[in-house]
Amino acid sequence: MREFYLGIKFALSYFSNLPVTFSSSDNLSTPKVLGTMLFFLPFVGLIIGGVVVSLYLLLSSLGWYGAVISAVVYMMLYGFIHTEAIIDVVDAIYAKHSGKDAYKVIKESTVGAMGVLYAVGFMIIKVAGVVYLLEKSLYLEFISILIISRLSLVVLIDSLDFKSIFVTKLKESLKAKYLISTFILSILIGSIFTPFFIILMVFGFAIAFAVSIYLAKKLEFINGDVLGIVLEIVEIVLCLLIALF
């Protein structure tokens, strides 16, 4: 039970900026902790989404200004970790075009101009999408998107091979019981939020796999940064789909 609890805390601390602390005796590397971490990943989106919607409701009298603040806070709540991945992946792709080692570039701490420009572009589009959903009072649809985007990462981790020691260890820890449980629970919760949850989920998974396959061909590997950019693209496209239909 303690390892399950640690796994939930690890998911919150790794995939969000929510205040979580550990003691020096906590072992976060066991398969049960890592498996629970992945089981809980979609529900990190649920929690963050709830915080963002609550913030917007408090700021709703400000109109679009309150919506922009809430949208940016959403990205702050996950520490811009997925936005940072955009910079790394774009830099690696452009480096490969120049004959450089894409994996070496993606691991460097420095960033290139193209990566920054793409990240800014993604952020503007993402903020616009979140603002639209909040302004239209599509709160449960917004939270559903956050669940689906993170659930898609769990499915990708289970399905693909990664050039990353940490993600490979996560994959080895992702037993069927964790995958099936998070899948079923996500569908149950999401279907309460919106009757179109399963349709959105299918689109989300299709986008996630398509982007992953495309980037795997471009980079000749997949790592944690690829998962980050996949999450951003899934959320942007799903926001657009809801806005259109």
Side-chain angles (χ1 to χ4, degrees), residues 128-243:
V130 175
V131 167
Y132 179 87
L133 296 184
L134 295 177
E135 283 279 86
K136 296 295 183 179
S137 300
L138 297 170
Y139 309 132
L140 297 181
E141 288 80 0
F142 167 64
I143 296 175
S144 295
I145 289 173
L146 307 196
I147 294 174
I148 291 169
S149 63
R150 287 158 178 81
L151 182 61
S152 70
L153 298 193
V154 179
V155 174
L156 290 179
I157 290 172
D158 180 66
S159 306
L160 304 176
D161 294 320
F162 293 83
K163 192 174 182 179
S164 165
I165 295 174
F166 179 63
V167 181
T168 299
K169 193 168 184 178
L170 287 177
K171 179 176 181 177
E172 293 170 351
S173 303
L174 184 58
K175 306 301 181 185
K177 61 180 180 180
Y178 297 120
L179 179 61
I180 294 172
S181 297
T182 194
F183 195 84
I184 292 174
L185 191 55
S186 295
I187 290 177
L188 289 175
I189 294 174
S191 297
I192 294 173
F193 286 171
T194 171
F196 306 108
F197 183 84
I198 293 179
I199 296 174
L200 289 173
M201 184 182 69
V202 171
F203 272 106
F205 288 177
I207 296 163
F209 275 102
V211 173
S212 298
I213 292 170
Y214 172 78
L215 292 177
K217 290 181 178 179
K218 282 285 188 178
L219 298 170
E220 297 182 352
F221 65 85
I222 301 177
N223 70 344
D225 290 312
V226 170
L227 291 177
I229 194 172
V230 164
L231 181 142
E232 294 288 358
I233 292 175
V234 168
E235 292 189 351
I236 287 172
V237 175
L238 290 185
C239 283
L240 181 60
L241 286 175
I242 290 177

Side-chain angles (χ1 to χ4, degrees), residues 87 91 110-117:
I87 298 175
D91 284 347
T110 56
V111 298
M114 293 305 297
V116 172
L117 290 172

Side-chain angles (χ1 to χ4, degrees), residues 1-203:
M1 189 64 185
R2 176 171 173 75
E3 286 183 304
F4 186 81
Y5 173 63
L6 285 175
I8 292 175
K9 287 178 63 179
F10 194 16
L12 287 170
S13 68
Y14 193 85
F15 296 108
S16 81
N17 272 340
L18 297 175
V20 178
T21 59
F22 297 95
S23 67
S24 57
S25 61
D26 290 336
N27 183 0
L28 303 178
S29 62
T30 67
K32 189 170 183 179
V33 169
L34 296 177
T36 303
M37 176 193 187
L38 290 177
F39 159 79
F40 196 71
L41 177 54
F43 312 114
V44 173
L46 172 64
I47 293 171
I48 292 177
V51 172
V52 172
V53 170
S54 299
L55 175 62
Y56 174 68
L57 292 175
L58 288 173
L59 301 176
S60 58
S61 61
L62 300 178
W64 66 266
Y65 183 37
V68 171
I69 292 173
S70 301
V72 175
V73 166
Y74 164 52
M75 303 182 78
M76 290 178 176
L77 284 174
Y78 63 73
F80 293 98
I81 183 174
H82 310 302
T83 310
E84 181 185 13
I86 297 170
I87 298 175
D88 292 335
V89 171
V90 171
D91 284 347
I93 290 174
Y94 275 89
K96 196 170 186 301
H97 289 167
S98 303
K100 297 179 181 177
D101 185 335
Y103 188 73
K104 183 177 179 181
V105 171
I106 209 170
K107 301 301 291 183
E108 291 178 351
S109 58
T110 56
V111 298
M114 293 305 297
V116 172
L117 290 172
Y118 268 84
V120 171
F122 268 74
M123 183 175 174
I124 291 172
I125 296 171
K126 176 90 168 274
V127 168
V130 175
V131 167
Y132 179 87
L133 296 184
L134 295 177
E135 283 279 86
K136 296 295 183 179
S137 300
L138 297 170
Y139 309 132
L140 297 181
E141 288 80 0
F142 167 64
I143 296 175
S144 295
I145 289 173
L146 307 196
I147 294 174
I148 291 169
S149 63
R150 287 158 178 81
L151 182 61
S152 70
L153 298 193
V154 179
V155 174
L156 290 179
I157 290 172
D158 180 66
S159 306
L160 304 176
D161 294 320
F162 293 83
K163 192 174 182 179
S164 165
I165 295 174
F166 179 63
V167 181
T168 299
K169 193 168 184 178
L170 287 177
K171 179 176 181 177
E172 293 170 351
S173 303
L174 184 58
K175 306 301 181 185
K177 61 180 180 180
Y178 297 120
L179 179 61
I180 294 172
S181 297
T182 194
F183 195 84
I184 292 174
L185 191 55
S186 295
I187 290 177
L188 289 175
I189 294 174
S191 297
I192 294 173
F193 286 171
T194 171
F196 306 108
F197 183 84
I198 293 179
I199 296 174
L200 289 173
M201 184 182 69
V202 171
F203 272 106

